[in-house]
Amino acid sequence: DVKVTQSSRYLVKRTGEKVFLECVQDMDHENMFWYRQDPGLGLRLIYFSYDVKMKEKGDIPEGYSVSREKKERFSLILESASTNQTSMYLCASRRTGMGGEKLFFGSGTQLSVL
Amino acid sequence: QKEVEQNSGPLSVPEGAIASLNCTYSDRGSQSFFWYRQYSGKSPELIMSIYSNGDKEDGRFTAQLNKASQYVSLLIRDSQPSDSATYLCAVRSGGSQGNLIFGKGTKLSVKP
């Protein structure tokens, strides 16, 4: 089955630090996504990418950027971490076509910004 | 603003009962509908997808779609304690390249 790997399960950073969250998928999916999940707010889309070098803003892109230099890797960057970016971050890749549409999620990174 | 609404719960049912989870969506042009299950501390995983009006059954799970009413539901028959989780309704708008919009989820608790 598809594997989506996020580099860290838990991260603790200080306000103002630059933070990199890495995500790698092994099934050659073109579409990749970054979400954050907060209690009472559900899953919210930060950025997505439909192809290498391509990126699009989701619903809450402020304070974030992304990089997709290779098809399998999609990185989320917090340019200057703030306490309101403390959250669970979930990366996903999307299977389309044969087998049906499906999002495969990584195990998540719980980021705490102090 | 396109929205997907779910009752947050918790929904509590006894073991062996039918659990009924409901979802409404605002974009009448939506074409694809999904139910994801998320166990506590885990990531969401797809359990059902439905694209046409009517019912779709997969084991103990039945997804129901009514596009006229903009309503999608998930029935879980013979509920088990292992079904205790948060169930996320997701709707894809904007055609084949549209992104999923997730509801906030309904927490289901199945009591032995």
Side-chain angles (χ1 to χ4, degrees):
Chain A
D1 210 353
V2 174
K3 191 168 184 181
V4 179
T5 302
Q6 293 186 232
S7 52
S8 304
R9 185 73 178 96
Y10 299 96
L11 270 181
V12 180
K13 297 292 181 180
R14 296 212 175 271
T15 302
E17 280 193 78
K18 191 168 186 176
V19 182
F20 293 86
L21 302 182
E22 305 287 345
C23 176
V24 178
Q25 52 98 359
D26 65 357
M27 280 298 291
D28 204 36
H29 290 164
E30 292 183 346
N31 303 168
M32 296 188 73
F33 305 82
W34 274 106
Y35 293 89
R36 63 177 285 178
Q37 187 172 34
D38 301 285
L41 296 178
L43 275 168
R44 293 182 291 167
L45 182 62
I46 305 171
Y47 265 95
F48 61 97
S49 170
Y50 285 163
D51 204 349
V52 177
K53 305 279 186 179
M54 178 270 186
K55 57 187 177 184
E56 292 285 346
K57 294 179 180 179
D59 299 319
I60 51 164
E62 296 79 17
Y64 303 95
S65 62
V66 291
S67 172
R68 191 154 182 215
E69 296 296 318
K70 294 184 178 181
K71 193 173 187 178
E72 67 269 21
R73 186 180 297 270
F74 192 35
S75 303
L76 180 69
I77 304 155
L78 286 66
E79 297 290 343
S80 177
S82 63
T83 55
N84 63 11
Q85 292 178 310
T86 291
S87 185
M88 171 65 79
Y89 289 87
L90 289 164
C91 175
S93 68
R94 179 163 70 182
R95 181 184 72 194
T96 58
M98 289 289 290
E101 180 178 345
K102 181 176 178 178
L103 281 181
F104 294 85
F105 287 89
S107 56
T109 296
Q110 180 62 54
L111 173 67
S112 297
V113 182
L114 306 178
Chain B
Q1 181 80 1
K2 297 170 184 174
E3 294 182 336
V4 176
E5 300 285 346
Q6 296 180 254
N7 289 327
S8 61
L11 173 65
S12 185
V13 301
E15 184 174 355
I18 295 175
S20 178
L21 305 163
N22 305 314
C23 172
T24 58
Y25 59 94
S26 63
D27 182 7
R28 187 169 287 279
S30 300
Q31 295 295 321
S32 305
F33 308 86
F34 306 88
W35 284 98
Y36 282 78
R37 177 177 62 199
Q38 186 173 25
Y39 291 114
S40 180
K42 301 295 186 181
S43 299
E45 56 178 342
L46 180 68
I47 53 171
M48 290 287 287
S49 57
I50 186 166
Y51 303 95
S52 303
N53 276 332
D55 294 359
K56 178 182 177 182
E57 187 174 317
D58 184 2
R60 294 186 297 111
F61 298 95
T62 298
Q64 299 175 316
L65 175 62
N66 184 326
K67 290 184 179 180
S69 299
Q70 296 174 238
Y71 178 91
V72 58
S73 65
L74 179 70
L75 300 178
I76 307 174
R77 290 182 301 281
D78 187 25
S79 295
Q80 301 295 311
S82 59
D83 295 325
S84 298
T86 297
Y87 290 80
L88 306 175
C89 175
V91 175
R92 182 157 58 74
S93 297
S96 61
Q97 288 299 311
N99 294 320
L100 290 186
I101 301 169
F102 284 87
K104 295 177 182 178
T106 298
K107 187 170 185 178
L108 172 66
S109 177
V110 181
K111 303 296 187 184

Short mmCIF file of all heavy atoms in Angstrom, two decimals, chain A residues 12-19 80-82 112-114:
data_model
loop_
_atom_site.label_atom_id
_atom_site.label_comp_id
_atom_site.label_asym_id
_atom_site.label_seq_id
_atom_site.Cartn_x
_atom_site.Cartn_y
_atom_site.Cartn_z
N VAL A 12 9.29 20.50 18.76
CA VAL A 12 9.12 21.66 19.63
C VAL A 12 10.06 22.74 19.12
O VAL A 12 11.27 22.51 18.98
CB VAL A 12 9.44 21.33 21.10
CG1 VAL A 12 9.27 22.58 21.96
CG2 VAL A 12 8.54 20.21 21.61
N LYS A 13 9.50 23.89 18.80
CA LYS A 13 10.29 24.99 18.26
C LYS A 13 9.99 26.27 19.04
O LYS A 13 8.99 26.36 19.76
CB LYS A 13 9.96 25.20 16.78
CG LYS A 13 10.31 24.02 15.89
CD LYS A 13 11.80 23.83 15.80
CE LYS A 13 12.17 22.67 14.89
NZ LYS A 13 13.65 22.49 14.81
N ARG A 14 10.86 27.23 18.87
CA ARG A 14 10.67 28.52 19.54
C ARG A 14 10.11 29.54 18.55
O ARG A 14 10.33 29.45 17.33
CB ARG A 14 11.99 29.00 20.10
CG ARG A 14 12.54 28.09 21.19
CD ARG A 14 13.33 28.87 22.24
NE ARG A 14 13.74 27.99 23.33
CZ ARG A 14 12.99 27.78 24.40
NH1 ARG A 14 11.82 28.35 24.53
NH2 ARG A 14 13.41 26.98 25.36
N THR A 15 9.39 30.47 19.09
CA THR A 15 8.83 31.57 18.28
C THR A 15 9.94 32.22 17.47
O THR A 15 11.03 32.51 17.99
CB THR A 15 8.18 32.62 19.20
OG1 THR A 15 7.16 31.99 19.98
CG2 THR A 15 7.56 33.74 18.38
N GLY A 16 9.65 32.42 16.17
CA GLY A 16 10.60 33.07 15.29
C GLY A 16 11.50 32.13 14.54
O GLY A 16 12.16 32.54 13.55
N GLU A 17 11.55 30.87 14.93
CA GLU A 17 12.39 29.91 14.23
C GLU A 17 11.81 29.57 12.86
O GLU A 17 10.58 29.62 12.65
CB GLU A 17 12.51 28.61 15.04
CG GLU A 17 13.51 28.65 16.16
CD GLU A 17 13.78 27.24 16.70
OE1 GLU A 17 14.53 26.50 16.06
OE2 GLU A 17 13.24 26.92 17.78
N LYS A 18 12.66 29.20 11.94
CA LYS A 18 12.21 28.67 10.65
C LYS A 18 12.08 27.16 10.80
O LYS A 18 13.00 26.50 11.28
CB LYS A 18 13.22 29.02 9.56
CG LYS A 18 12.72 28.75 8.15
CD LYS A 18 13.65 29.39 7.12
CE LYS A 18 13.10 29.26 5.70
NZ LYS A 18 13.94 29.94 4.70
N VAL A 19 10.92 26.64 10.38
CA VAL A 19 10.62 25.23 10.60
C VAL A 19 10.35 24.55 9.26
O VAL A 19 9.62 25.09 8.42
CB VAL A 19 9.39 25.07 11.51
CG1 VAL A 19 9.10 23.59 11.77
CG2 VAL A 19 9.58 25.80 12.84
N SER A 80 8.63 31.91 9.98
CA SER A 80 8.92 32.45 11.31
C SER A 80 7.82 31.94 12.23
O SER A 80 6.74 32.52 12.28
CB SER A 80 8.96 33.98 11.26
OG SER A 80 9.18 34.51 12.55
N ALA A 81 8.10 30.86 12.91
CA ALA A 81 7.06 30.17 13.67
C ALA A 81 6.44 31.08 14.73
O ALA A 81 7.13 31.86 15.39
CB ALA A 81 7.64 28.92 14.31
N SER A 82 5.14 30.93 14.87
CA SER A 82 4.41 31.67 15.90
C SER A 82 3.59 30.69 16.72
O SER A 82 3.30 29.57 16.28
CB SER A 82 3.51 32.74 15.28
OG SER A 82 2.53 32.13 14.47
N SER A 112 4.75 22.00 18.35
CA SER A 112 4.52 22.95 19.44
C SER A 112 5.48 24.11 19.29
O SER A 112 6.70 23.90 19.18
CB SER A 112 4.74 22.27 20.80
OG SER A 112 3.80 21.23 21.00
N VAL A 113 4.93 25.32 19.26
CA VAL A 113 5.76 26.52 19.16
C VAL A 113 5.67 27.26 20.48
O VAL A 113 4.59 27.67 20.91
CB VAL A 113 5.29 27.41 17.99
CG1 VAL A 113 6.22 28.63 17.87
CG2 VAL A 113 5.28 26.63 16.68
N LEU A 114 6.82 27.41 21.12
CA LEU A 114 6.85 28.00 22.46
C LEU A 114 7.31 29.45 22.41
O LEU A 114 8.08 29.83 21.53
CB LEU A 114 7.76 27.19 23.37
CG LEU A 114 7.45 25.69 23.45
CD1 LEU A 114 8.45 24.98 24.33
CD2 LEU A 114 6.03 25.47 23.94
#
